[in-house]
PDB file of all heavy atoms in Angstrom:
ATOM      1  N   LEU A   1     -19.116  -7.949  60.901  1.00 86.00           N
ATOM      2  CA  LEU A   1     -18.005  -8.777  60.450  1.00 86.00           C
ATOM      3  C   LEU A   1     -18.409  -9.524  59.179  1.00 86.00           C
ATOM      4  O   LEU A   1     -19.065 -10.557  59.234  1.00 86.00           O
ATOM      5  CB  LEU A   1     -17.612  -9.761  61.547  1.00 86.00           C
ATOM      6  CG  LEU A   1     -17.208  -9.110  62.878  1.00 86.00           C
ATOM      7  CD1 LEU A   1     -16.976 -10.154  63.941  1.00 86.00           C
ATOM      8  CD2 LEU A   1     -15.987  -8.235  62.699  1.00 86.00           C
ATOM      9  N   ALA A   2     -18.043  -8.961  58.067  1.00 84.00           N
ATOM     10  CA  ALA A   2     -18.456  -9.527  56.779  1.00 84.00           C
ATOM     11  C   ALA A   2     -17.473 -10.585  56.307  1.00 84.00           C
ATOM     12  O   ALA A   2     -16.262 -10.423  56.466  1.00 84.00           O
ATOM     13  CB  ALA A   2     -18.563  -8.414  55.741  1.00 84.00           C
ATOM     14  N   PRO A   3     -17.984 -11.654  55.717  1.00 78.00           N
ATOM     15  CA  PRO A   3     -17.067 -12.609  55.099  1.00 78.00           C
ATOM     16  C   PRO A   3     -16.387 -11.940  53.918  1.00 78.00           C
ATOM     17  O   PRO A   3     -16.968 -11.077  53.278  1.00 78.00           O
ATOM     18  CB  PRO A   3     -17.981 -13.744  54.650  1.00 78.00           C
ATOM     19  CG  PRO A   3     -19.339 -13.177  54.615  1.00 78.00           C
ATOM     20  CD  PRO A   3     -19.372 -12.002  55.535  1.00 78.00           C
ATOM     21  N   TYR A   4     -15.162 -12.297  53.661  1.00 71.00           N
ATOM     22  CA  TYR A   4     -14.450 -11.645  52.575  1.00 71.00           C
ATOM     23  C   TYR A   4     -13.635 -12.657  51.803  1.00 71.00           C
ATOM     24  O   TYR A   4     -13.466 -13.792  52.230  1.00 71.00           O
ATOM     25  CB  TYR A   4     -13.562 -10.518  53.087  1.00 71.00           C
ATOM     26  CG  TYR A   4     -12.440 -10.989  53.987  1.00 71.00           C
ATOM     27  CD1 TYR A   4     -11.172 -11.197  53.467  1.00 71.00           C
ATOM     28  CD2 TYR A   4     -12.654 -11.229  55.324  1.00 71.00           C
ATOM     29  CE1 TYR A   4     -10.150 -11.634  54.267  1.00 71.00           C
ATOM     30  CE2 TYR A   4     -11.626 -11.656  56.137  1.00 71.00           C
ATOM     31  CZ  TYR A   4     -10.377 -11.858  55.604  1.00 71.00           C
ATOM     32  OH  TYR A   4      -9.368 -12.287  56.408  1.00 71.00           O
ATOM     33  N   GLY A   5     -13.149 -12.222  50.685  1.00 71.00           N
ATOM     34  CA  GLY A   5     -12.289 -13.048  49.872  1.00 71.00           C
ATOM     35  C   GLY A   5     -12.927 -13.514  48.594  1.00 71.00           C
ATOM     36  O   GLY A   5     -12.227 -13.896  47.666  1.00 71.00           O
ATOM     37  N   PHE A   6     -14.232 -13.494  48.501  1.00 74.00           N
ATOM     38  CA  PHE A   6     -14.893 -13.978  47.292  1.00 74.00           C
ATOM     39  C   PHE A   6     -14.667 -13.044  46.108  1.00 74.00           C
ATOM     40  O   PHE A   6     -14.698 -13.474  44.971  1.00 74.00           O
ATOM     41  CB  PHE A   6     -16.402 -14.142  47.520  1.00 74.00           C
ATOM     42  CG  PHE A   6     -16.743 -15.326  48.362  1.00 74.00           C
ATOM     43  CD1 PHE A   6     -17.200 -15.163  49.656  1.00 74.00           C
ATOM     44  CD2 PHE A   6     -16.603 -16.607  47.876  1.00 74.00           C
ATOM     45  CE1 PHE A   6     -17.517 -16.251  50.446  1.00 74.00           C
ATOM     46  CE2 PHE A   6     -16.916 -17.714  48.654  1.00 74.00           C
ATOM     47  CZ  PHE A   6     -17.367 -17.530  49.940  1.00 74.00           C
ATOM     48  N   GLY A   7     -14.467 -11.754  46.368  1.00 78.00           N
ATOM     49  CA  GLY A   7     -14.320 -10.793  45.284  1.00 78.00           C
ATOM     50  C   GLY A   7     -12.946 -10.748  44.669  1.00 78.00           C
ATOM     51  O   GLY A   7     -12.722 -10.059  43.690  1.00 78.00           O
ATOM     52  N   GLY A   8     -11.981 -11.464  45.268  1.00 74.00           N
ATOM     53  CA  GLY A   8     -10.620 -11.490  44.744  1.00 74.00           C
ATOM     54  C   GLY A   8     -10.142 -12.911  44.598  1.00 74.00           C
ATOM     55  O   GLY A   8     -10.930 -13.851  44.524  1.00 74.00           O
ATOM     56  N   THR A   9      -8.847 -13.054  44.627  1.00 66.00           N
ATOM     57  CA  THR A   9      -8.284 -14.394  44.464  1.00 66.00           C
ATOM     58  C   THR A   9      -7.779 -14.974  45.774  1.00 66.00           C
ATOM     59  O   THR A   9      -7.296 -16.092  45.800  1.00 66.00           O
ATOM     60  CB  THR A   9      -7.118 -14.367  43.454  1.00 66.00           C
ATOM     61  OG1 THR A   9      -6.187 -13.376  43.870  1.00 66.00           O
ATOM     62  CG2 THR A   9      -7.621 -14.078  42.065  1.00 66.00           C
ATOM     63  N   ASP A  10      -7.907 -14.228  46.869  1.00 58.00           N
ATOM     64  CA  ASP A  10      -7.433 -14.721  48.162  1.00 58.00           C
ATOM     65  C   ASP A  10      -8.310 -15.853  48.684  1.00 58.00           C
ATOM     66  O   ASP A  10      -7.837 -16.745  49.353  1.00 58.00           O
ATOM     67  CB  ASP A  10      -7.413 -13.605  49.206  1.00 58.00           C
ATOM     68  CG  ASP A  10      -6.423 -12.518  48.849  1.00 58.00           C
ATOM     69  OD1 ASP A  10      -5.494 -12.792  48.074  1.00 58.00           O
ATOM     70  OD2 ASP A  10      -6.592 -11.405  49.355  1.00 58.00           O
ATOM     71  N   ASN A  11      -9.612 -15.763  48.416  1.00 52.00           N
ATOM     72  CA  ASN A  11     -10.583 -16.753  48.868  1.00 52.00           C
ATOM     73  C   ASN A  11     -10.426 -17.084  50.345  1.00 52.00           C
ATOM     74  O   ASN A  11     -10.404 -18.234  50.754  1.00 52.00           O
ATOM     75  CB  ASN A  11     -10.518 -18.019  48.002  1.00 52.00           C
ATOM     76  CG  ASN A  11     -10.922 -17.709  46.580  1.00 52.00           C
ATOM     77  OD1 ASN A  11     -11.867 -16.969  46.357  1.00 52.00           O
ATOM     78  ND2 ASN A  11     -10.196 -18.222  45.626  1.00 52.00           N
ATOM     79  N   MET A  12     -10.299 -16.033  51.157  1.00 50.00           N
ATOM     80  CA  MET A  12     -10.144 -16.183  52.593  1.00 50.00           C
ATOM     81  C   MET A  12     -11.486 -16.136  53.303  1.00 50.00           C
ATOM     82  O   MET A  12     -11.561 -15.908  54.491  1.00 50.00           O
ATOM     83  CB  MET A  12      -9.237 -15.079  53.125  1.00 50.00           C
ATOM     84  CG  MET A  12      -7.820 -15.162  52.578  1.00 50.00           C
ATOM     85  SD  MET A  12      -6.806 -13.763  53.101  1.00 50.00           S
ATOM     86  CE  MET A  12      -6.781 -14.009  54.866  1.00 50.00           C
ATOM     87  N   ALA A  13     -12.555 -16.372  52.594  1.00 48.00           N
ATOM     88  CA  ALA A  13     -13.893 -16.243  53.166  1.00 48.00           C
ATOM     89  C   ALA A  13     -14.093 -17.169  54.358  1.00 48.00           C
ATOM     90  O   ALA A  13     -14.883 -16.871  55.239  1.00 48.00           O
ATOM     91  CB  ALA A  13     -14.951 -16.520  52.113  1.00 48.00           C
ATOM     92  N   GLN A  14     -13.386 -18.266  54.399  1.00 51.00           N
ATOM     93  CA  GLN A  14     -13.530 -19.172  55.523  1.00 51.00           C
ATOM     94  C   GLN A  14     -13.025 -18.508  56.806  1.00 51.00           C
ATOM     95  O   GLN A  14     -13.497 -18.786  57.888  1.00 51.00           O
ATOM     96  CB  GLN A  14     -12.741 -20.474  55.290  1.00 51.00           C
ATOM     97  CG  GLN A  14     -13.197 -21.259  54.086  1.00 51.00           C
ATOM     98  CD  GLN A  14     -12.596 -20.739  52.782  1.00 51.00           C
ATOM     99  OE1 GLN A  14     -11.778 -19.833  52.746  1.00 51.00           O
ATOM    100  NE2 GLN A  14     -13.044 -21.309  51.677  1.00 51.00           N
ATOM    101  N   GLU A  15     -12.048 -17.620  56.696  1.00 56.00           N
ATOM    102  CA  GLU A  15     -11.483 -16.934  57.846  1.00 56.00           C
ATOM    103  C   GLU A  15     -12.438 -15.883  58.387  1.00 56.00           C
ATOM    104  O   GLU A  15     -12.667 -15.800  59.569  1.00 56.00           O
ATOM    105  CB  GLU A  15     -10.151 -16.269  57.465  1.00 56.00           C
ATOM    106  CG  GLU A  15      -9.091 -17.246  57.012  1.00 56.00           C
ATOM    107  CD  GLU A  15      -8.548 -18.069  58.164  1.00 56.00           C
ATOM    108  OE1 GLU A  15      -8.445 -17.537  59.275  1.00 56.00           O
ATOM    109  OE2 GLU A  15      -8.246 -19.243  57.939  1.00 56.00           O
ATOM    110  N   GLY A  16     -12.950 -15.040  57.526  1.00 53.00           N
ATOM    111  CA  GLY A  16     -13.843 -13.968  57.934  1.00 53.00           C
ATOM    112  C   GLY A  16     -13.094 -12.831  58.605  1.00 53.00           C
ATOM    113  O   GLY A  16     -11.937 -12.954  58.977  1.00 53.00           O
ATOM    114  N   ALA A  17     -13.755 -11.701  58.756  1.00 55.00           N
ATOM    115  CA  ALA A  17     -13.128 -10.521  59.339  1.00 55.00           C
ATOM    116  C   ALA A  17     -12.718 -10.751  60.782  1.00 55.00           C
ATOM    117  O   ALA A  17     -11.766 -10.153  61.266  1.00 55.00           O
ATOM    118  CB  ALA A  17     -14.076  -9.333  59.243  1.00 55.00           C
ATOM    119  N   HIS A  18     -13.425 -11.633  61.499  1.00 55.00           N
ATOM    120  CA  HIS A  18     -13.088 -11.869  62.899  1.00 55.00           C
ATOM    121  C   HIS A  18     -11.662 -12.387  63.067  1.00 55.00           C
ATOM    122  O   HIS A  18     -11.041 -12.175  64.099  1.00 55.00           O
ATOM    123  CB  HIS A  18     -14.084 -12.837  63.539  1.00 55.00           C
ATOM    124  CG  HIS A  18     -14.084 -14.197  62.932  1.00 55.00           C
ATOM    125  ND1 HIS A  18     -14.774 -14.480  61.774  1.00 55.00           N
ATOM    126  CD2 HIS A  18     -13.437 -15.326  63.290  1.00 55.00           C
ATOM    127  CE1 HIS A  18     -14.567 -15.752  61.457  1.00 55.00           C
ATOM    128  NE2 HIS A  18     -13.762 -16.280  62.349  1.00 55.00           N
ATOM    129  N   ALA A  19     -11.121 -13.030  62.071  1.00 59.00           N
ATOM    130  CA  ALA A  19      -9.757 -13.541  62.153  1.00 59.00           C
ATOM    131  C   ALA A  19      -8.740 -12.406  62.236  1.00 59.00           C
ATOM    132  O   ALA A  19      -7.662 -12.578  62.782  1.00 59.00           O
ATOM    133  CB  ALA A  19      -9.450 -14.437  60.964  1.00 59.00           C
ATOM    134  N   LEU A  20      -9.101 -11.248  61.705  1.00 59.00           N
ATOM    135  CA  LEU A  20      -8.197 -10.111  61.741  1.00 59.00           C
ATOM    136  C   LEU A  20      -8.146  -9.444  63.112  1.00 59.00           C
ATOM    137  O   LEU A  20      -7.202  -8.737  63.422  1.00 59.00           O
ATOM    138  CB  LEU A  20      -8.641  -9.057  60.707  1.00 59.00           C
ATOM    139  CG  LEU A  20      -8.663  -9.504  59.254  1.00 59.00           C
ATOM    140  CD1 LEU A  20      -9.295  -8.425  58.397  1.00 59.00           C
ATOM    141  CD2 LEU A  20      -7.268  -9.813  58.775  1.00 59.00           C
ATOM    142  N   PHE A  21      -9.157  -9.642  63.923  1.00 61.00           N
ATOM    143  CA  PHE A  21      -9.266  -8.922  65.185  1.00 61.00           C
ATOM    144  C   PHE A  21      -9.426  -9.877  66.364  1.00 61.00           C
ATOM    145  O   PHE A  21     -10.005  -9.535  67.377  1.00 61.00           O
ATOM    146  CB  PHE A  21     -10.449  -7.944  65.133  1.00 61.00           C
ATOM    147  CG  PHE A  21     -10.280  -6.944  64.039  1.00 61.00           C
ATOM    148  CD1 PHE A  21     -10.894  -7.121  62.816  1.00 61.00           C
ATOM    149  CD2 PHE A  21      -9.464  -5.846  64.217  1.00 61.00           C
ATOM    150  CE1 PHE A  21     -10.715  -6.210  61.787  1.00 61.00           C
ATOM    151  CE2 PHE A  21      -9.272  -4.930  63.190  1.00 61.00           C
ATOM    152  CZ  PHE A  21      -9.903  -5.115  61.985  1.00 61.00           C
ATOM    153  N   GLY A  22      -8.918 -11.075  66.240  1.00 56.00           N
ATOM    154  CA  GLY A  22      -8.997 -12.182  67.180  1.00 56.00           C
ATOM    155  C   GLY A  22      -9.614 -11.928  68.537  1.00 56.00           C
ATOM    156  O   GLY A  22      -9.284 -10.968  69.227  1.00 56.00           O
ATOM    157  N   ASP A  23     -10.504 -12.789  68.920  1.00 62.00           N
ATOM    158  CA  ASP A  23     -11.115 -12.838  70.246  1.00 62.00           C
ATOM    159  C   ASP A  23     -11.746 -11.519  70.700  1.00 62.00           C
ATOM    160  O   ASP A  23     -11.684 -11.172  71.872  1.00 62.00           O
ATOM    161  CB  ASP A  23     -10.098 -13.305  71.293  1.00 62.00           C
ATOM    162  CG  ASP A  23      -9.615 -14.716  71.014  1.00 62.00           C
ATOM    163  OD1 ASP A  23     -10.410 -15.509  70.469  1.00 62.00           O
ATOM    164  OD2 ASP A  23      -8.448 -15.009  71.320  1.00 62.00           O
ATOM    165  N   GLY A  24     -12.321 -10.780  69.788  1.00 74.00           N
ATOM    166  CA  GLY A  24     -13.040  -9.562  70.171  1.00 74.00           C
ATOM    167  C   GLY A  24     -12.148  -8.443  70.673  1.00 74.00           C
ATOM    168  O   GLY A  24     -12.592  -7.570  71.417  1.00 74.00           O
ATOM    169  N   GLU A  25     -10.883  -8.438  70.269  1.00 80.00           N
ATOM    170  CA  GLU A  25      -9.943  -7.416  70.748  1.00 80.00           C
ATOM    171  C   GLU A  25     -10.419  -5.999  70.404  1.00 80.00           C
ATOM    172  O   GLU A  25     -10.313  -5.085  71.220  1.00 80.00           O
ATOM    173  CB  GLU A  25      -8.552  -7.669  70.166  1.00 80.00           C
ATOM    174  CG  GLU A  25      -7.478  -6.765  70.709  1.00 80.00           C
ATOM    175  CD  GLU A  25      -7.231  -6.936  72.202  1.00 80.00           C
ATOM    176  OE1 GLU A  25      -7.449  -8.033  72.752  1.00 80.00           O
ATOM    177  OE2 GLU A  25      -6.816  -5.935  72.821  1.00 80.00           O
ATOM    178  N   LEU A  26     -10.948  -5.804  69.208  1.00 82.00           N
ATOM    179  CA  LEU A  26     -11.440  -4.481  68.818  1.00 82.00           C
ATOM    180  C   LEU A  26     -12.585  -4.047  69.723  1.00 82.00           C
ATOM    181  O   LEU A  26     -12.622  -2.907  70.190  1.00 82.00           O
ATOM    182  CB  LEU A  26     -11.888  -4.485  67.351  1.00 82.00           C
ATOM    183  CG  LEU A  26     -12.454  -3.170  66.821  1.00 82.00           C
ATOM    184  CD1 LEU A  26     -11.387  -2.079  66.850  1.00 82.00           C
ATOM    185  CD2 LEU A  26     -12.979  -3.357  65.407  1.00 82.00           C
ATOM    186  N   VAL A  27     -13.507  -4.946  69.989  1.00 84.00           N
ATOM    187  CA  VAL A  27     -14.645  -4.632  70.860  1.00 84.00           C
ATOM    188  C   VAL A  27     -14.154  -4.278  72.270  1.00 84.00           C
ATOM    189  O   VAL A  27     -14.635  -3.329  72.884  1.00 84.00           O
ATOM    190  CB  VAL A  27     -15.645  -5.815  70.887  1.00 84.00           C
ATOM    191  CG1 VAL A  27     -16.710  -5.608  71.947  1.00 84.00           C
ATOM    192  CG2 VAL A  27     -16.285  -5.981  69.515  1.00 84.00           C
ATOM    193  N   LYS A  28     -13.182  -5.014  72.774  1.00 86.00           N
ATOM    194  CA  LYS A  28     -12.615  -4.723  74.106  1.00 86.00           C
ATOM    195  C   LYS A  28     -12.003  -3.330  74.147  1.00 86.00           C
ATOM    196  O   LYS A  28     -12.220  -2.573  75.093  1.00 86.00           O
ATOM    197  CB  LYS A  28     -11.550  -5.755  74.477  1.00 86.00           C
ATOM    198  CG  LYS A  28     -12.081  -7.118  74.819  1.00 86.00           C
ATOM    199  CD  LYS A  28     -10.908  -8.034  75.169  1.00 86.00           C
ATOM    200  CE  LYS A  28     -11.266  -9.476  74.915  1.00 86.00           C
ATOM    201  NZ  LYS A  28     -10.109 -10.361  75.027  1.00 86.00           N
ATOM    202  N   ARG A  29     -11.233  -3.009  73.128  1.00 88.00           N
ATOM    203  CA  ARG A  29     -10.561  -1.699  73.109  1.00 88.00           C
ATOM    204  C   ARG A  29     -11.563  -0.549  72.971  1.00 88.00           C
ATOM    205  O   ARG A  29     -11.411   0.483  73.617  1.00 88.00           O
ATOM    206  CB  ARG A  29      -9.530  -1.651  71.991  1.00 88.00           C
ATOM    207  CG  ARG A  29      -8.332  -2.512  72.290  1.00 88.00           C
ATOM    208  CD  ARG A  29      -7.320  -2.452  71.186  1.00 88.00           C
ATOM    209  NE  ARG A  29      -6.214  -3.333  71.483  1.00 88.00           N
ATOM    210  CZ  ARG A  29      -4.964  -3.023  71.225  1.00 88.00           C
ATOM    211  NH1 ARG A  29      -4.651  -1.880  70.668  1.00 88.00           N
ATOM    212  NH2 ARG A  29      -4.019  -3.884  71.513  1.00 88.00           N
ATOM    213  N   LEU A  30     -12.561  -0.719  72.124  1.00 89.00           N
ATOM    214  CA  LEU A  30     -13.577   0.329  71.987  1.00 89.00           C
ATOM    215  C   LEU A  30     -14.401   0.451  73.274  1.00 89.00           C
ATOM    216  O   LEU A  30     -14.775   1.551  73.677  1.00 89.00           O
ATOM    217  CB  LEU A  30     -14.473   0.047  70.782  1.00 89.00           C
ATOM    218  CG  LEU A  30     -13.813   0.251  69.416  1.00 89.00           C
ATOM    219  CD1 LEU A  30     -14.693  -0.301  68.310  1.00 89.00           C
ATOM    220  CD2 LEU A  30     -13.500   1.718  69.177  1.00 89.00           C
ATOM    221  N   GLY A  31     -14.687  -0.679  73.911  1.00 89.00           N
ATOM    222  CA  GLY A  31     -15.392  -0.660  75.186  1.00 89.00           C
ATOM    223  C   GLY A  31     -14.612   0.075  76.260  1.00 89.00           C
ATOM    224  O   GLY A  31     -15.177   0.794  77.087  1.00 89.00           O
ATOM    225  N   ALA A  32     -13.296  -0.047  76.245  1.00 92.00           N
ATOM    226  CA  ALA A  32     -12.442   0.606  77.235  1.00 92.00           C
ATOM    227  C   ALA A  32     -12.482   2.132  77.117  1.00 92.00           C
ATOM    228  O   ALA A  32     -12.212   2.837  78.098  1.00 92.00           O
ATOM    229  CB  ALA A  32     -11.013   0.106  77.096  1.00 92.00           C
ATOM    230  N   ILE A  33     -12.847   2.634  75.948  1.00 92.00           N
ATOM    231  CA  ILE A  33     -12.935   4.092  75.797  1.00 92.00           C
ATOM    232  C   ILE A  33     -14.388   4.571  75.753  1.00 92.00           C
ATOM    233  O   ILE A  33     -14.667   5.685  75.334  1.00 92.00           O
ATOM    234  CB  ILE A  33     -12.138   4.596  74.572  1.00 92.00           C
ATOM    235  CG1 ILE A  33     -12.621   3.953  73.270  1.00 92.00           C
ATOM    236  CG2 ILE A  33     -10.653   4.382  74.780  1.00 92.00           C
ATOM    237  CD1 ILE A  33     -12.006   4.551  72.015  1.00 92.00           C
ATOM    238  N   GLY A  34     -15.309   3.708  76.185  1.00 92.00           N
ATOM    239  CA  GLY A  34     -16.674   4.150  76.401  1.00 92.00           C
ATOM    240  C   GLY A  34     -17.708   3.794  75.360  1.00 92.00           C
ATOM    241  O   GLY A  34     -18.847   4.250  75.449  1.00 92.00           O
ATOM    242  N   TYR A  35     -17.357   3.009  74.373  1.00 93.00           N
ATOM    243  CA  TYR A  35     -18.326   2.619  73.360  1.00 93.00           C
ATOM    244  C   TYR A  35     -18.938   1.268  73.684  1.00 93.00           C
ATOM    245  O   TYR A  35     -18.245   0.347  74.094  1.00 93.00           O
ATOM    246  CB  TYR A  35     -17.685   2.553  71.973  1.00 93.00           C
ATOM    247  CG  TYR A  35     -17.295   3.892  71.433  1.00 93.00           C
ATOM    248  CD1 TYR A  35     -15.990   4.349  71.516  1.00 93.00           C
ATOM    249  CD2 TYR A  35     -18.249   4.717  70.851  1.00 93.00           C
ATOM    250  CE1 TYR A  35     -15.629   5.586  71.025  1.00 93.00           C
ATOM    251  CE2 TYR A  35     -17.902   5.960  70.358  1.00 93.00           C
ATOM    252  CZ  TYR A  35     -16.593   6.390  70.455  1.00 93.00           C
ATOM    253  OH  TYR A  35     -16.252   7.616  69.970  1.00 93.00           O
TER     254      TYR A  35
END
């Protein structure tokens, strides 16, 4: 989960990639299919 926003004008680095996938939802879904 890389911080982002510094390379553009959004400057959303405070949010980070985890904000896009709230509460580990991606990890839960991948875990459900065996990863």
Side-chain angles (χ1 to χ4, degrees):
L1 302 174
Y4 64 97
F6 286 109
T9 54
D10 296 338
N11 296 318
M12 296 175 63
Q14 299 82 4
E15 298 288 325
H18 63 278
L20 299 172
F21 300 97
D23 297 328
E25 186 63 28
L26 179 63
V27 171
K28 288 180 205 171
R29 289 180 182 219
L30 288 169
I33 58 172
Y35 291 99

